RNA sequence: GCUCGGAUGGUGGAACAGGUAGACACGCAAGACUUAAAAUUUUGUGACCAUUGUGGUCAUGCGGGUUCAAAUCCCGCUCCGAGUACCA
C-alpha cells in the first residue's frame, strides 16, 4: 500500500489536538524534564527551512525523553516586541500589535504542519499585558534592590538606607556607579531629592548619565550587543556616542558570579568562551598618581604593575571628569580644540580612523614609585568607561602606547633584558627585568607579584579586579516595548505600586518620536500615574525574553511570576536549544535576571539553563546560470570557461539536481523568453555556491513546499540527516530521495500486497540481533544529539529486515516506537494499525538487550607493522598462546611471507594482533 | 591583533577510548523491467597498478615527531570559519 502522508499526517495532527496528547501537568510520580527552544520573533516573511531545525531537534528529544518515562515540559511562545513591526507601523500606520498578531498566526500555521509536540496551552507572548506585567514586576524588584558585595547577592534597598542612617557609607559593601564617601550625619541632613539621587548610585535598576550608543535615524539608544562595527544590527544605521540620562541594570555587579557560574554548566565550550571574553576578567592594581601643583590625583588601572619603571607618559580619556582640572592654562585652546574634534566624530569614524590623535595637557604627574614627573596626555584611544578612564603608558611593552609614543616622539624605556623595540613593542610577558630598581633580575611573573606587594605596602594603590562587562542600558526611545513602571514626582523617579501592574502600553496616533525629539510615548494622552507623569522610554528587546522560561512553568498565575510549587517541580531548563548569536545578549541577560530572582528567593535554581545546544545555520544553496556577455545566450556550467560569461542567480525552484528547467526559466522573466542555451549532454547544468539564505539570492526554501511534496515526517528526518546538528550546512533538496526511499521501505515492512500483514512468529536470534544493535545505536545517538547517525542506524536496520523479509510483530513493534520521536505521524499510524487504542507517546521506549548482541567468537584484526591485512575469528576465551600459534600457522601458509620471520607479536585482547617484521 | 573552532572521496558526512579509513545517504556508471521515460530493482563506485582469482602501492590540508600501530596524541606551518577588539 502506498504511504499517503497527506491523509495520515492530517489525521494524527487532529487526533493529538483532540486528545490533548501534549498537554502536560505537574506529576510528582514522574521525574520532570524541561526542553526549551529559543522562542522566535515572528517576522513577516514566515519560516524558512533553517528555522525549524532547532524545533525538530528539541521535538525529537522531548518525545524521546517522554517515551523514556519523563514528564516533559516542552512549551513555545513568541518574542513579540521588535523593531521590524515598529518600523512597519511607522511606515503604514498599522498598529504593531496587528502586524505581530498576523505574523504569529502565520508562524503557528507553519509550525503546526510539522507536527510538533508543544503544549500550546502554555503559550506566551511578550507583548501580552498578562505576560509583561511580570516583566515590569521584576524591574520594580530591581529598582528596589541593591547588590551587596559582602553577602554577594541582591538585598532590599531599605536595608541600604538603614546602613546609611547608622554608619554612612563607611561599612557599605555595595556595588555602585561611583564611590561616594558620606557619614551618617551627612546622610541624615540630605534633602529627599538628594537622598534619592544617592540611592540611584546603588539601585540595581538605576537612572544614570552614561555614554550610550545613540542611533539618530532610529532615534533610540542601543546596547553593545545590538550594534556591530559602529552600525546597528537591525537596520544597519550609524551609531553615535552620546551622554544621556538612561535607565540601566547593574549587571556588572554580577560579573563574578556570571563568570564562575559558567564552570558548572553543560554548555558548548565555544559558547562559554564567548561569554568569558564578554565578561572579560582582568586582575591588576589601581595606582594613584599625584598631579603636580594640584590636589588632584589620577587613579589608573594596570595589569602590568611590573612595568612601572617603563612608564613615560599618562593618557586619559577625553570624557574623563578630571580633564578640566588638569589642563594647564597655556594649553587650554589646543585641548578644547581636540575635545571638540573627538566629540563630533561618530562611532563609525572612530573605528574607521585608525589615525593616532591626542593632545598634551601641559601638566605632569608624579610616578608614585620612582617619583619622576610624567606628562599627562589626552587621547581617544583610552576609553572612559573601562577601568578608571586613564592609563599609564609603557610604550616599550604595549602596542598602542608604542604607536602613540612614536607618533608624538615620546621616550620609550625597555624594562626587559635583550629585547628589540626598534620596530615594535614587546608585549609578551616573558623575560627578565632591567632598568627597574628593586625589580631588576626578576622574571615578569615574579616582578608582578613583588611590585603588587610593594604598592600595597607603600599604600600608593591596591589590588583590583576589573570586568569588561558593562551595565545594560535599559531605556529605548521607542513605542513597541514594555512601558517602564516608573513615574516622576517632582522630578524624582518612583516605582509604580505592584498592585497597579501592568502599566499598559497606551494607544497613540503615530508611532514616531515627537517633533521635539521626545520618545513616542510623549504622544499618549493621560500618560500619568496618580496624576504624575509616567516614564516615556520603553524596555529593550531582551527584557521580555529574560525570564520567559519561568513563566511557562506557571503561565496563568495571576499572583506570581511563577508559583514556588510550580518552580520547585519544574526547576530550570534541562535542555535549551537555539542559535549561538544570543551568546552575548539573551543568554547573559537571562542568567543575570535569573540570579537576581534567585537572590530574592523567588526561584530555586541560580542558573536558568543547565544544558545548551547551539544548532548550526542552514545556509542557502544558490544556483547560477551563465550568460555570455552582451547576448541572451546561456552556456552550461561545464562549458562556461570557453566564453566570457556573467554568472546570474537563478531561482533554485527552477532547478532540480543542478539541471535547469529551461521552459520554466524562460517564463521566469520576460527578458529570458527568447533566450538560447548551449547545453552539455543535452542538459543545462547550473553552477552553485553556498550563501546565506535570502530572497535576493533566490535560494530560499520554504518548509511548506517541502512538506506538501514529501510530508512532515520526511522533512523532519531529512533536516536531521543533513549533517551534524551543531554544524552549519547548506540546504540541498537533492538528497531527500534517500529519506523518501527509507520511509517507503520502512512502511513496506508492514505490508504484503497492499495488506497490513504482521506475523506473530518468534523472531530468530539474527533478527533480534539486528533490532537490538540498532536500538543501542539509536538511543545513544539521540542522547548525544547525533541524529544523522541515528537515522543511518534505522536505514541499516530496515534494509537488513527487508532482506530477511521479516514482518514479525516483536521486532517491528519496537522499531516503530524507536522511530516515533523522528517521524511521529507514520509511527502513530502504524501503532494504531497494530490495534493500539492510545497514542504511541504513552508507551515506553524499547530498551536494548546485550544478550542479543553477544558474540561467541571474537574477531581479531591481523596487521603487519601496524597495517591491517586480514582478520581471524577465535572462540571467546582462547588463550594468548593459542592465538599466537594459530596466527603463526596462518602466516606460514602464505607463500609471500615464507622468508619473513616475525620479530615480535603484539596481542591486544579482543582487538588486534600486530606482527612486527 | 587576541581567543576559539575546523580541514576526510564527485557531494553531505561516519570512524565510541590511537587498532579494517570512507558507515549511511546523495550523485554517477552499467544491467534488468518498460514501446519510451519516470519509478522500481541488481551490481559497481577513494586514486593508481595488476587481474581468471587471491593481490599490491598511495591516500584523512602541508612538514616533522611519539608509538608495534596516528584522521585521532605532540610540535611547526598553510588555508577556511566564528567571536571580539584601542579593555590598559
Amino acid at each position: 500500500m502506498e504511504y499517503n502522508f497527506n491523509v495520515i499526517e492530517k489525521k494524527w495532527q487532529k487526533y493529538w489536538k483532540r486528545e490533548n496528547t501534549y498537554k502536560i501537568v505537574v506529576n510528582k510520580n514522574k521525574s520532570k524534564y524541561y526542553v526549551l527552544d529559543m522562542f522566535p520573533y515572528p517576522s513577516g516573511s514566515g519560516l524558512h527551512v533553517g528555522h525549524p531545525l532547532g524545533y525538530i531537534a528539541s521535538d525529537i528529544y522531548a518525545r524521546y525523553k517522554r517515551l523514556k518515562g519523563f514528564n516533559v515540559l516542552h512549551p513555545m511562545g513568541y518574542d513579540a516586541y521588535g523593531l521590524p513591526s515598529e518600523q512597519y507601523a511607522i511606515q503604514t500606520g498599522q498598529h504593531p500589535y496587528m502586524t505581530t498578531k498576523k505574523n504569529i498566526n502565520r508562524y503557528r500555521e507553519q509550525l503546526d504542519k510539522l507536527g510538533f509536540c508543544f503544549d500550546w496551552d502554555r503559550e506566551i507572548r511578550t507583548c501580552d499585558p498578562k505576560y509583561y506585567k511580570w516583566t515590569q514586576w521584576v524591574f520594580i524588584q530591581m529598582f528596589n534592590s541593591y547588590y551587596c558585595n559582602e553577602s554577594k547577592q541582591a538585598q532590599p534597598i531599605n536595608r541600604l538606607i538603614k546602613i546609611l542612617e547608622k554608619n554612612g557609607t563607611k561599612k557599605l559593601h555595595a556595588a555602585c556607579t561611583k564611590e561616594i564617601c558620606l557619614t551618617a550625619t551627612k546622610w541624615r541632613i540630605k534633602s529627599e531629592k538628594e537622598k534619592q539621587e544617592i540611592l540611584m548610585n546603588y539601585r540595581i535598576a538605576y537612572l544614570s548619565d552614561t555614554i550610550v550608543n545613540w542611533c539618530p535615524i532610529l532615534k533610540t539608544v542601543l546596547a553593545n550587543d545590538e550594534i556591530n562595527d559602529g552600525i546597528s544590527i537591525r537596520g544597519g544605521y550609524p551609531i553615535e556616542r552620546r551622554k544621556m540620562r538612561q535607565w540601566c541594570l547593574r549587571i556588572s555587579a554580577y560579573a563574578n558570579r556570571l563568570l564562575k557560574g559558567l564552570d558548572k554548566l553543560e554548555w558548548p565550550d565555544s559558547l562559554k568562551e564567548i561569554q568569558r571574553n564578554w565578561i572579560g576578567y582582568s586582575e591588576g592594581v589601581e595606582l594613584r598618581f599625584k598631579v603636580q601643583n594640584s590636589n588632584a590625583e589620577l587613579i589608573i588601572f594596570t595589569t602590568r604593575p611590573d612595568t612601572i619603571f617603563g612608564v613615560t607618559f599618562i593618557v586619559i580619556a577625553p570624557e574623563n571628569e578630571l580633564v578640566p582640572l588638569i589642563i594647564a592654562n597655556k594649553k587650554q585652546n589646543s585641548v578644547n580644540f581636540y575635545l571638540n574634534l573627538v566629540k563630533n566624530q561618530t562611532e563609525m569614524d572612530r573605528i574607521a580612523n585608525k589615525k593616532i590623535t591626542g593632545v598634551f595637557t601641559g601638566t605632569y604627574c608624579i610616578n608614585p614609585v620612582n617619583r619622576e614627573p610624567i606628562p599627562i596626555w589626552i587621547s581617544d584611544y583610552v576609553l572612559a568607561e573601562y577601568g578608571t578612564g586613564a592609563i599609564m603608558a609603557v610604550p616599550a611593552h604595549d602596542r598602542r602606547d608604542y604607536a602613540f609614543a612614536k607618533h608624538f616622539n615620546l621616550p620609550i624605556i625597555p624594562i626587559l633584558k635583550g629585547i628589540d623595540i626598534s620596530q615594535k613593542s614587546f608585549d609578551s610577558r616573558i623575560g627578565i627585568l632591567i632598568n627597574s630598581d628593586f625589580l631588576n633580575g626578576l622574571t615578569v611573573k615574579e616582578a608582578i607579584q613583588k611590585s603588587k606587594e610593594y604598592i600595597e605596602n607603600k599604600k600608593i594603590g591596591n589590588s583590583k579586579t576589573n570586568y569588561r562587562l558593562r551595565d545594560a542600558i535599559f531605556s529605548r526611545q521607542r513605542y513597541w516595548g514594555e512601558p517602564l513602571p516608573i513615574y516622576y514626582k517632582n522630578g524624582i523617579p518612583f516605582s509604580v505600586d505592584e498592585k497597579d501592574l501592568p502599566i499598559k502600553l497606551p494607544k497613540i496616533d503615530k508611532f514616531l518620536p515627537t517633533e521635539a525629539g521626545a520618545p513616542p510615548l510623549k504622544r499618549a494622552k493621560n500618560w500619568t500615574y496618580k496624576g504624575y507623569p509616567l516614564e516615556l522610554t520603553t524596555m529593550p528587546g531582551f527584557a521580555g525574553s529574560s525570564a520567559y522560561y519561568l513563566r511557562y512553568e506557571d503561565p496563568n498565575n495571576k499572583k506570581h511570576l511563577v508559583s514556588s510549587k510550580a518552580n520547585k517541580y519544574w526547576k530550570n531548563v534541562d535542555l535549551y536549544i537555539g542559535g549561538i548569536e544570543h551568546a552575548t545578549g539573551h543568554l547573559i541577560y537571562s542568567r543575570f535576571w535569573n540570579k537576581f530572582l534567585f537572590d530574592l528567593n523567588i526561584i530555586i535554581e541560580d542558573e536558568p539553563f543547565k544544558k545548551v545546544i547551539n544548532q548550526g545555520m542552514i545556509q542557502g544553496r544558490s544556483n547560477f546560470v551563465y550568460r555570455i556577455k552582451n547576448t541572451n545566450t546561456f552556456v552550461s556550467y561545464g562549458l562556461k570557461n570557453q566564453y566570457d560569461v556573467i554568472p546570474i542567480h537563478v531561482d533554485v525552484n527552477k532547478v532540480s539536481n543542478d539541471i535547469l528547467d529551461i521552459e520554466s526559466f524562460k517564463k521566469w522573466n520576460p527578458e529570458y523568453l527568447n533566450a538560447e542555451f548551449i547545453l552539455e549532454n543535452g542538459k543545462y547544468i547550473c553552477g552553485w555556491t553556498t550563501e546565506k539564505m535570502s530572497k535576493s539570492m533566490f535560494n530560499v526554501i520554504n518548509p511548506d513546499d517541502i512538506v506538501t511534496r514529501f510530508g512532515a515526517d520526511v522533512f523532519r528526518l531529512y533536516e536531521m540527516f543533513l549533517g551534524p546538528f551543531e554544524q552549519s550546512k547548506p540546504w540541498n533538496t537533492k538528497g531527500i530521495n534517500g529519506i523518501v526511499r527509507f520511509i517507503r521501505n520502512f512502511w513496506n515492512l508492514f505490508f504484503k500486497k497492499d495488506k497490513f500483514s504482521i506475523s506473530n512468529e518468534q523472531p530468530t536470534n539474527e533478527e533480534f540481533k539486528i533490532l537490538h544493535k540498532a536500538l543501542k545505536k539509536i538511543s545513544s545517538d539521540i542522547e548525544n544529539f547525533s541524529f544523522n547517525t541515528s537515522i543511518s542506524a534505522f536505514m541499516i536496520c530496515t534494509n537488513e529486515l527487508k532482506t530477511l523479509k521479516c514482518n514479525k510483530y516483536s521486532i517491528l513493534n519496537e522499531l516503530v516506537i524507536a522511530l516515533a520521536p523522528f517521524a511521529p505521524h507514520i509511527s502513530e499510524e502504524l501503532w494504531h494499525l497494530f490495534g493500539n487504542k492510545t497514542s504511541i507517546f504513552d508507551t515506553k521506549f524499547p530498551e536494548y538487550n546485550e544478550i542479543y548482541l553477544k558474540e561467541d567468537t571474537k574477531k581479531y584484526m591481523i596487521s603487519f607493522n601496524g597495517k591491517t591485512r586480514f582478520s581471524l575469528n577465535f572462540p571467546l576465551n582462547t588463550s594468548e598462546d593459542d592465538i599466537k600459534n594459530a596466527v603463526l600457522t596462518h602466516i606460514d601458509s602464505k607463500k609471500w611471507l615464507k622468508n619473513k620471520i616475525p620479530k615480535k607479536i603484539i596481542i591486544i585482547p579482543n582487538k588486534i594482533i600486530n606482527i612486527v617484521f
Side-chain angles (χ1 to χ4, degrees):
Chain A
M1 193 167 85
E2 193 64 13
Y3 162 57
N4 187 340
F5 58 82
N6 263 323
V7 175
I8 288 171
E9 289 181 356
K10 282 210 186 79
K11 175 170 147 197
W12 295 113
Q13 281 168 15
K14 265 192 211 147
Y15 171 89
W16 293 325
K17 206 170 176 180
R18 194 179 65 227
E19 301 288 319
N20 274 325
T21 307
Y22 304 132
K23 188 174 168 65
I24 296 298
V25 291
V26 169
N27 176 352
K28 294 219 165 111
N29 298 323
K30 279 185 174 180
S31 308
K32 70 96 189 188
Y33 198 88
Y34 188 171
V35 183
L36 184 64
D37 291 285
M38 290 185 188
F39 63 167
Y41 171 75
S43 82
S45 41
L47 298 169
H48 67 57
V49 288
H51 295 116
L53 183 75
Y55 308 150
I56 295 172
S58 69
D59 192 72
I60 291 171
Y61 203 78
R63 288 176 188 274
Y64 170 76
K65 276 285 176 186
R66 176 176 175 155
L67 286 165
K68 279 279 186 183
F70 288 86
N71 193 24
V72 179
L73 180 60
H74 186 41
M76 183 46 100
Y78 304 95
D79 186 12
Y81 282 125
L83 195 54
S85 318
E86 174 150 9
Q87 293 292 92
Y88 189 73
I90 290 169
Q91 285 158 21
T92 62
Q94 189 178 103
H95 197 286
Y97 181 75
M98 299 311 290
T99 323
T100 306
K101 205 170 156 187
K102 204 178 104 205
N103 292 346
I104 285 177
N105 290 340
R106 168 104 181 91
Y107 262 62
R108 177 65 192 274
E109 209 177 286
Q110 286 189 295
L111 290 173
D112 278 348
K113 279 188 192 164
L114 297 173
F116 291 132
C117 64
F118 297 122
D119 178 1
W120 285 106
D121 286 353
R122 292 174 185 264
E123 183 200 295
I124 55 170
R125 302 177 184 194
T126 55
C127 67
D128 181 349
K130 289 202 291 289
Y131 175 83
Y132 68 65
K133 172 181 176 175
W134 298 105
T135 313
Q136 291 175 334
W137 182 82
V138 175
F139 180 82
I140 292 177
Q141 309 312 308
M142 289 184 176
F143 179 74
N144 289 323
S145 302
Y146 78 102
Y147 193 83
C148 173
N149 283 328
E150 210 171 31
S151 62
K152 295 196 168 69
Q153 58 170 322
Q155 298 274 3
I157 196 83
N158 288 336
R159 182 174 180 262
L160 183 105
I161 296 171
K162 274 186 198 141
I163 298 172
L164 285 172
E165 274 169 0
K166 210 171 155 198
N167 298 321
T169 53
K170 211 175 168 190
K171 282 180 183 163
L172 197 66
H173 300 280
C176 57
T177 312
K178 63 180 168 197
E179 296 289 344
I180 302 179
C181 269
L182 203 67
T183 61
T185 334
K186 268 193 179 164
W187 161 260
R188 278 187 239 123
I189 58 165
K190 296 270 180 196
S191 70
E192 176 63 15
K193 191 165 187 175
E194 285 169 327
K195 279 184 178 172
Q196 287 299 333
E197 244 157 59
I198 289 167
L199 291 180
M200 270 301 174
N201 193 44
Y202 301 101
R203 291 182 192 274
I204 288 183
Y206 65 98
L207 201 51
S208 152
D209 291 306
T210 34
I211 299 166
V212 296
N213 306 304
W214 172 256
C215 179
I217 294 175
L218 296 170
K219 292 201 172 58
T220 188
V221 157
L222 295 171
N224 281 344
D225 63 280
E226 290 170 316
I227 57 170
N228 190 16
D229 287 336
I231 286 177
S232 70
I233 288 177
R234 292 241 162 126
Y237 306 115
I239 301 297
E240 284 171 19
R241 294 170 67 71
R242 258 198 204 181
K243 205 164 197 174
M244 286 177 76
R245 202 155 170 80
Q246 299 288 318
W247 284 98
C248 303
L249 301 185
R250 204 177 299 284
I251 184 170
S252 61
Y254 284 81
N256 189 44
R257 277 168 67 188
L258 289 169
L259 190 67
K260 290 270 161 64
L262 286 172
D263 295 339
K264 55 175 195 242
L265 294 175
E266 278 176 77
W267 289 18
D269 288 338
S270 59
L271 179 55
K272 287 197 206 178
E273 197 60 32
I274 292 171
Q275 287 213 345
R276 279 194 195 104
N277 291 339
W278 189 259
I279 297 167
Y281 174 87
S282 72
E283 214 178 57
V285 291
E286 268 186 358
L287 260 171
R288 290 194 299 276
F289 285 66
K290 275 218 152 46
V291 179
Q292 237 176 10
N293 309 321
S294 155
N295 291 329
E297 236 181 15
L298 274 177
I299 298 172
I300 66 98
F301 173 76
T302 181
T303 54
R304 292 288 302 271
D306 59 308
T307 60
I308 186 72
F309 291 95
V311 178
T312 55
F313 55 100
I314 291 282
V315 189
I316 61 177
E319 299 89 352
N320 192 309
E321 288 171 356
L322 292 173
V323 165
L325 301 177
I326 288 170
I327 309 161
N329 283 334
K330 55 180 181 185
K331 293 283 181 180
Q332 211 59 258
N333 285 341
S334 57
V335 171
N336 283 339
F337 179 80
Y338 180 69
L339 292 180
N340 270 326
L341 196 88
V342 170
K343 215 175 178 178
N344 290 330
Q345 69 179 354
T346 67
E347 189 59 359
M348 216 162 57
D349 293 341
R350 201 178 69 84
I351 291 165
N353 275 336
K354 289 271 173 192
K355 266 190 229 152
I356 295 158
T357 62
V359 65
F360 178 42
T361 58
T363 311
Y364 291 79
C365 63
I366 305 295
N367 182 328
V369 177
N370 63 9
R371 317 302 302 168
E372 298 269 344
I374 322 165
I376 305 172
W377 286 68
I378 298 174
S379 173
D380 68 347
Y381 86 87
V382 173
L383 301 176
E385 57 291 20
Y386 185 76
T388 59
I391 61 148
M392 60 179 218
V394 186
H397 300 283
D398 182 280
R399 183 171 41 91
R400 296 148 304 173
D401 299 345
Y402 184 88
F404 195 81
K406 282 274 174 188
H407 190 262
F408 289 105
N409 216 5
L410 296 162
I412 301 173
I413 306 172
I415 56 121
L416 290 176
K417 207 193 253 169
I419 55 162
D420 172 21
I421 49 163
S422 58
Q423 296 305 314
K424 59 176 188 181
S425 61
F426 183 84
D427 291 14
S428 75
R429 301 180 174 206
I430 301 158
I432 303 292
L433 274 86
I434 52 163
N435 300 333
S436 295
D437 192 356
F438 64 94
L439 298 173
N440 282 341
L442 298 176
T443 65
V444 170
K445 209 178 159 191
E446 292 161 348
I448 289 177
Q449 192 50 39
K450 188 158 183 187
S451 56
K452 229 180 216 175
E453 283 162 16
Y454 180 90
I455 288 162
E456 289 195 322
N457 287 340
K458 295 266 172 183
K459 297 203 160 48
I460 50 176
N462 48 280
S463 289
K464 170 95 190 195
T465 299
N466 260 336
Y467 295 92
R468 203 188 74 113
L469 186 69
R470 305 281 153 71
D471 283 347
I473 294 162
F474 205 63
S475 288
R476 296 292 181 274
Q477 289 69 15
R478 292 221 224 107
Y479 173 71
W480 191 229
E482 302 89 343
L484 284 151
I486 292 288
Y487 66 98
Y488 293 86
K489 208 151 84 181
N490 304 324
I492 304 170
F494 289 93
S495 63
V496 164
D497 208 323
E498 282 179 21
K499 69 175 174 8
D500 295 323
L501 292 178
I503 297 297
K504 284 192 189 165
L505 192 61
K507 290 207 169 77
I508 56 174
D509 49 356
K510 262 187 186 172
F511 304 102
L512 276 170
T514 66
E515 282 66 30
L521 287 187
K522 182 83 185 172
R523 293 174 185 276
K525 282 179 198 136
N526 298 325
W527 186 235
T528 57
Y529 177 75
K530 293 182 176 169
Y532 298 106
L534 275 159
E535 168 68 37
L536 296 180
T537 59
T538 54
M539 298 189 194
F542 68 80
S545 58
S546 288
Y548 77 111
Y549 86 93
L550 289 170
R551 195 63 189 159
Y552 282 132
E553 297 182 351
D554 199 3
N556 299 313
N557 194 324
K558 287 188 179 137
K559 293 209 176 102
H560 300 101
L561 165 64
V562 53
S563 69
S564 70
K565 188 182 153 221
N567 186 249
K568 270 186 186 135
Y569 181 73
W570 293 114
K571 297 190 175 82
N572 54 2
V573 175
D574 294 285
L575 176 69
Y576 195 30
I577 296 184
I580 195 150
E581 66 273 16
H582 297 107
T584 56
H586 165 61
L587 284 175
I588 286 230
Y589 296 127
S590 340
R591 291 184 62 218
F592 156 62
W593 278 55
N594 189 87
K595 283 182 188 297
F596 173 74
L597 292 170
F598 174 76
D599 288 352
L600 266 57
N601 279 324
I602 291 161
I603 54 171
I604 61 161
E605 292 286 347
D606 81 324
E607 285 286 345
F609 315 118
K610 258 191 243 169
K611 181 176 176 133
V612 170
I613 301 217
N614 300 120
Q615 84 259 32
M617 274 227 304
I618 294 206
Q619 294 143 320
R621 188 179 190 275
S622 310
N623 274 115
F624 294 94
V625 290
Y626 301 91
R627 187 183 202 161
I628 300 172
K629 258 188 194 164
N630 307 321
T631 68
N632 205 8
T633 303
F634 294 84
V635 56
S636 183
Y637 176 75
L639 307 169
K640 74 177 167 48
N641 292 338
Q642 300 165 22
Y643 303 87
D644 189 6
V645 295
I646 306 167
I648 298 171
H649 274 96
V650 57
D651 187 343
V652 290
N653 295 307
K654 312 266 176 274
V655 179
S656 138
N657 291 353
D658 289 336
I659 299 162
L660 183 68
D661 179 344
I662 292 175
E663 287 316 307
S664 144
F665 175 74
K666 280 181 176 174
K667 283 180 212 145
W668 187 39
N669 186 330
E671 203 188 324
Y672 304 144
L673 204 57
N674 298 313
E676 311 241 330
F677 298 87
I678 301 172
L679 308 178
E680 48 184 319
N681 305 326
K683 289 169 188 163
Y684 188 96
I685 312 285
C686 298
W688 64 274
T689 187
T690 299
E691 293 171 303
K692 219 185 137 176
M693 206 170 264
S694 103
K695 276 183 192 163
S696 62
M697 294 166 188
F698 304 106
N699 61 5
V700 175
I701 306 283
N702 185 327
D704 298 356
D705 295 344
I706 306 288
V707 171
T708 310
R709 278 170 67 196
F710 303 100
D713 284 340
V714 167
F715 177 72
R716 292 163 59 104
L717 282 163
Y718 186 55
E719 281 231 349
M720 290 300 111
F721 190 66
L722 219 46
F725 179 65
E726 293 172 81
Q727 195 175 295
S728 289
K729 59 241 160 195
W731 174 268
N732 183 359
T733 313
K734 223 174 172 180
I736 203 164
N737 274 338
I739 297 292
V740 173
R741 278 177 204 139
F742 159 65
I743 282 291
R744 189 164 42 217
N745 287 341
F746 185 81
W747 177 258
N748 285 336
L749 289 176
F750 300 77
F751 291 88
K752 205 183 247 171
K753 288 183 188 153
D754 280 6
K755 270 185 84 178
F756 185 72
S757 150
I758 289 295
S759 119
N760 280 320
E761 259 176 84
Q762 179 68 11
T764 63
N765 274 349
E766 191 190 2
E767 287 163 342
F768 272 130
K769 194 175 165 187
I770 290 167
L771 173 74
H772 286 266
K773 208 171 67 188
L775 288 177
K776 184 178 181 178
K777 177 120 182 84
I778 289 159
S779 38
S780 80
D781 280 351
I782 295 177
E783 302 273 5
N784 296 325
F785 271 74
S786 185
F787 298 123
N788 53 336
T789 51
S790 128
I791 294 168
S792 295
F794 275 113
M795 291 175 169
I796 295 167
C797 177
T798 304
N799 284 338
E800 283 172 346
L801 293 176
K802 187 184 165 189
T803 315
L804 292 175
K805 294 200 167 70
C806 169
N807 68 340
K808 291 172 186 164
Y809 175 79
S810 317
I811 300 287
L812 295 183
N813 178 51
E814 306 222 330
L815 202 57
V816 165
I817 301 169
L819 187 70
F822 295 88
H825 308 89
I826 191 173
S827 309
E828 190 81 271
E829 170 77 12
L830 290 166
W831 176 253
H832 279 77
L833 285 175
F834 281 141
N836 294 297
K837 296 291 178 230
T838 53
S839 168
I840 189 170
F841 296 103
D842 291 328
T843 186
K844 280 249 170 237
F845 197 87
E847 301 284 337
Y848 69 88
N849 195 336
E850 290 283 357
I851 291 169
Y852 298 111
L853 303 178
K854 254 193 196 156
E855 313 264 356
D856 5 325
T857 60
K858 202 73 209 177
K859 193 169 169 187
Y860 278 80
M861 298 298 133
I862 315 295
S863 60
F864 299 159
N865 294 332
K867 186 138 192 130
T868 308
R869 297 299 152 143
F870 53 91
S871 65
L872 289 175
N873 280 311
F874 292 102
L876 266 183
N877 296 317
T878 315
S879 73
E880 284 208 6
D881 283 340
D882 290 349
I883 290 175
K884 220 179 237 179
N885 288 334
V887 169
L888 287 173
T889 325
H890 192 93
I891 293 174
D892 248 9
S893 70
K894 297 247 171 194
K895 273 184 233 152
W896 45 276
L897 282 170
K898 266 268 160 71
N899 303 324
K900 294 196 174 174
I901 298 149
K903 270 190 214 149
K904 205 164 41 165
I905 298 180
I906 295 149
I907 301 177
I908 310 293
N910 300 331
K911 265 193 182 166
I912 200 154
I913 301 157
N914 192 18
I915 299 142
V916 187
F917 291 103

